[in-house]
Amino acid sequence: MRVAPVTVVVAAATPPGASALALIRLSGEGLDSVLARFVRSGAEVGGAPRRCEVFDAQGTIDDGLIWLGKAPRTYTGEPTAELSLHGNPRIVERTLEAAVAAGARLAEPGEFTRRALLHGKLDLVQAEAVLQVAEARSDRGLALAREALDGSLSQAFAALREPLLDVAAELEARLDLGHDELVMLDDDAVDAALALAETEAREAAEGHRASRAWVHGARVALVGPVNAGKSSLFNQLVGRPRALVHASAGTTRDVLELAIDLDGLQVTLLDTAGERQTDDPIEAAGLALAAELVDEADLVVLVAPVESTDDPVVHAIEARLDADLRVANGVDRAPAPTGWLATSAHTGEGIGALRQAIREALVGREARATRLQVASRRQAAALHGAADLLAEAREALPLAGPAAAADALTEALEALDGLTGADTREDVLSRLFERFCIGK
Ligand SMILES: Nc1nc2c(ncn2[C@@H]2O[C@H](COP(=O)(O)OP(=O)(O)O)[C@@H](O)[C@H]2O)c(=O)[nH]1
Ligand SMILES: [Mg+2]
């Protein structure tokens, strides 16, 4: 997507459908002349909202309020208008058509935020947070998203980076001046600074799953051999008999999904077809679908019948999947082996513990000790990369000398720079904004 910030873009900022009010936003240079062709109002740029009438060739479309924002003190940094009209989809469509006829262009997904980014109103971390604030699935998630949006998270990234600049300067000085002269930081101090940053970056990256679960909710898949009691456990966890349960193998063929709340954490639970060799094409298709969805799940729970946790089928599943939790179901029939969570979908034994274990596995490792709590995969990957490079710099200093250490450190600093958006390469931006809806 090529953005030409000179054009005026228009989009509805409220969702489609009937509602009390609808908000339509326009942004870009030349806004005045576009507005003059479809809106009548006495509003002044930078002034208070005023009554307005929108019209097209057929006549008046609706009346409402208009606010005219003065650049650069607007969301996008450009001249902006916000029209608050009655929430009738036909009014919205006609107004958008009238705006386009007047010279505006329909905005691409995320284009308002993208323009804000281009004009330096937001950094990349804040742009990602715009989406998180809209989507946050819990109060904790909302708080994390707000911290990212208001710039606190970007400041924490800068604080992580700051001492590393001193180290980089020290290493460069040694390269220029030779080791004996003017050493401000000795090797121990350099190593300590690198180690501190490495630990914090790694901890933040590892806490990413927890932050992500708070912000976006989590998908948890129940997998295992046929007749393990997956559907029975699914019903227990969702609190009602939703999935079919039967003694005959191959009862579950589709993948069932249902949202549950684990003490404020939003979890989508997936019940999958049990694993076995099958000639039934529908069951085989169900297994293929399950494999795909399990791949994308945030947490995988392996369920095995309590008697057969040691069976080759179970070992084969374990070898293929990295299960986060292992559940031996049917403890009303026999005791569970050690290392397995014990449940009975019949008596309800262990269900509370299973809920707790799922919650713990998802958010138990939240990076509470650091201010760097990241819910974005991009940020987590950058932090992981930076931590590895910092480790490399630490190793290099005593073995290969300051030149090698400085190289690794420079790369680590680049990875950290990319976080807040010194890096506004097209591929990074497209990936970010393709997830936005139109109007953001
Ligand atoms: N005794 C006992 N039977 C169970 C338990 N959980 C499930 N079953 C039975 O095992 C059979 C298969 O259960 P189902 O939930 O359909 O297993 P799935 O194939 O893994 O989904 C059914 O007859 C259930 O009633 C349990 O905890 N104890
Ligand atoms: Mg089943």
Side-chain angles (χ1 to χ4, degrees):
M1 183 174 85
R2 269 277 300 132
V3 175
V6 282
T7 51
V8 175
V9 288
V10 61
T14 38
S19 55
L21 295 173
L23 188 78
I24 292 173
R25 182 155 56 162
L26 296 104
S27 175
E29 298 300 334
L31 181 62
D32 295 357
S33 61
V34 171
L35 286 175
R37 293 190 197 108
F38 80 106
V39 184
R40 274 185 289 267
S41 86
E44 281 167 31
V45 175
R50 296 287 290 270
R51 292 298 294 267
C52 71
E53 222 174 63
V54 288
F55 60 90
D56 58 13
Q58 286 168 258
T60 300
I61 302 170
D62 193 18
D63 67 326
L65 284 179
I66 187 167
W67 171 77
L68 298 177
K70 188 170 163 61
R73 297 183 56 187
T74 58
Y75 180 69
T76 55
E78 301 168 342
T80 296
E82 285 181 10
L83 284 160
S84 176
L85 302 173
H86 297 102
N88 172 336
R90 197 54 209 132
I91 292 177
V92 173
E93 281 162 27
R94 267 181 72 188
T95 305
L96 293 177
E97 285 161 14
V100 169
R105 165 169 72 69
L106 293 177
E108 307 263 356
E111 189 166 356
F112 290 90
T113 304
R114 190 175 180 137
R115 289 178 174 218
L117 190 72
L118 287 178
H119 292 121
K121 303 290 290 187
L122 296 172
D123 66 26
L124 214 44
V125 169
Q126 290 172 306
E128 283 175 320
V130 170
L131 205 59
Q132 295 172 354
V133 167
E135 291 181 351
R137 303 284 297 275
S138 66
D139 286 346
R140 175 96 192 105
L142 191 54
L144 289 172
R146 293 263 349 139
E147 273 168 37
L149 186 62
D150 74 14
S152 307
L153 181 58
S154 305
Q155 276 169 23
F157 284 133
L160 174 70
R161 202 171 153 277
E162 191 57 35
L164 295 175
L165 295 175
D166 293 338
V167 175
E170 166 67 29
L171 295 177
E172 291 302 329
R174 288 191 197 180
L175 288 175
D176 289 346
L177 304 171
H179 190 47
D180 302 330
E181 295 173 65
L182 208 73
V183 172
M184 309 283 282
L185 299 170
D186 63 16
D187 280 7
D188 285 346
V190 166
D191 187 68
L194 293 174
L196 202 66
E198 183 201 339
T199 307
E200 189 168 7
R202 211 176 292 287
E203 195 192 333
E206 280 164 8
H208 151 251
R209 173 146 93 171
S211 304
R212 214 183 136 68
W214 284 123
V215 173
H216 298 285
R219 294 170 67 80
V220 175
L222 301 177
V223 301
V226 283
N227 271 346
K230 298 178 297 302
S231 298
S232 307
L233 280 178
F234 180 86
N235 289 340
Q236 283 277 359
L237 289 166
V238 303
R240 60 200 162 99
R242 184 62 184 70
L244 281 180
V245 168
H246 202 273
S248 51
T251 302
T252 309
R253 304 204 291 190
D254 229 330
V255 177
L256 275 183
E257 283 190 32
L258 220 63
I260 60 170
D261 177 298
L262 295 179
D263 295 331
L265 182 67
Q266 295 295 308
V267 165
T268 302
L269 202 61
L270 281 76
D271 181 26
T272 65
E275 306 241 352
R276 65 164 178 174
Q277 285 300 334
T278 177
D279 294 331
D280 177 354
I282 302 178
E283 194 180 347
L287 283 171
L289 174 65
E292 214 174 284
L293 292 174
V294 168
D295 256 359
E296 294 164 10
D298 298 293
L299 194 83
V300 176
V301 180
L302 171 63
V303 183
V306 68
E307 303 83 359
S308 37
T309 51
D310 211 15
D311 273 16
V313 207
V314 175
H315 285 304
I317 298 172
E318 283 195 282
R320 193 167 34 91
L321 285 176
D322 202 7
D324 301 277
L325 294 172
R326 301 191 305 171
V327 175
N329 181 54
V331 290
D332 50 299
R333 299 187 303 250
T338 50
W340 290 70
L341 273 160
T343 62
S344 166
H346 273 189
T347 65
E349 185 185 338
I351 302 299
L354 175 57
R355 290 172 66 94
Q356 207 38 58
I358 292 174
R359 195 176 187 282
E360 182 64 23
L362 286 169
V363 296
R365 292 188 58 196
E366 196 176 357
R368 289 257 181 196
T370 155
R371 290 195 300 147
L372 287 175
Q373 303 194 355
V374 301
S376 133
R377 285 206 172 99
R378 183 189 71 87
Q379 291 166 25
L383 285 166
H384 249 306
D388 288 348
L389 288 160
L390 290 170
E392 205 178 302
R394 290 179 65 197
E395 245 178 64
L397 186 60
L399 297 174
D407 284 350
L409 178 55
T410 303
E411 271 190 73
L413 282 167
E414 278 166 10
L416 293 175
D417 278 345
L419 275 169
T420 42
D423 181 4
T424 43
R425 281 173 313 162
E426 187 57 29
D427 54 340
V428 178
L429 295 185
S430 338
R431 210 170 319 143
L432 168 59
F433 289 111
E434 75 193 6
R435 293 169 45 232
F436 275 65
C437 62
I438 291 169
K440 284 231 177 66

